Amino acid sequence: MFCTYNYSEFPLVKVTFDGGIKCEEDFILFTEQWINLYNDEKEFLFEFDMAGIGLINPYYSYKMASFISELKKRPVQYLTHSKIMNVNSFTKYLLLLVFKIQKPVAPVEIHYTDGTISHLLP
């Protein structure tokens, strides 16, 4: 799997990436864990650490935008905030693509490797 979910500080859920998406199953496992958090019906926040992420096919940006769109159809949004850390220039491009297609479910704070920070609102 290309990422690890850490629930030890719940409601803070830390997601650490290690490498790229190798197959569709990787993406499905990533989104299934996210859905499981919604199914628990408890508020939570994400901290994504992108330091170890590999190259990602832009196709998955479209898949992610579609996933966010589906989440928005749910009657309750349990995700309260996301922080995305260690974002390099390539990952920045992919994130901007995702959020141009579909606004986030909750506020997002993006920390880039060059030290800049940006905020996105739903």
Side-chain angles (χ1 to χ4, degrees):
M1 174 118 174
F2 85 109
C3 71
T4 303
Y5 278 70
N6 180 334
Y7 306 96
S8 66
E9 298 177 47
F10 192 85
L12 173 63
V13 178
K14 294 184 176 183
V15 181
T16 306
F17 294 90
D18 183 24
I21 299 174
K22 294 176 182 61
C23 61
E24 190 76 16
E25 185 178 318
D26 283 347
F27 184 80
I28 291 168
L29 290 172
F30 168 71
T31 57
E32 281 179 347
Q33 290 182 77
W34 193 323
I35 293 293
N36 287 341
L37 286 162
Y38 267 73
N39 291 341
D40 287 343
E41 298 182 353
K42 295 177 186 171
E43 288 189 346
F44 66 98
L45 58 124
F46 273 132
E47 182 178 286
F48 296 101
D49 185 348
M50 309 297 273
I53 199 160
L55 292 178
I56 303 291
N57 186 324
Y59 162 78
Y60 290 103
S61 294
Y62 293 101
K63 297 274 295 180
M64 191 67 204
S66 178
F67 174 72
I68 292 170
S69 177
E70 290 301 312
L71 283 177
K72 285 183 158 190
K73 294 176 184 175
R74 290 176 170 252
V76 178
Q77 295 302 319
Y78 294 102
L79 176 60
T80 62
H81 180 86
S82 294
K83 185 185 284 188
I84 306 174
M85 311 291 293
N86 302 307
V87 175
N88 63 32
S89 58
F90 180 71
T91 308
K92 176 182 179 179
Y93 163 76
L94 295 177
L95 286 172
L96 293 176
L97 181 60
V98 169
F99 294 130
K100 185 172 180 122
I101 297 168
Q102 182 64 60
K103 290 189 178 274
V105 170
V108 177
E109 185 176 294
I110 303 173
H111 294 250
Y112 300 103
T113 54
D114 67 4
T116 59
I117 299 172
S118 65
H119 296 83
L120 302 171
L121 299 173

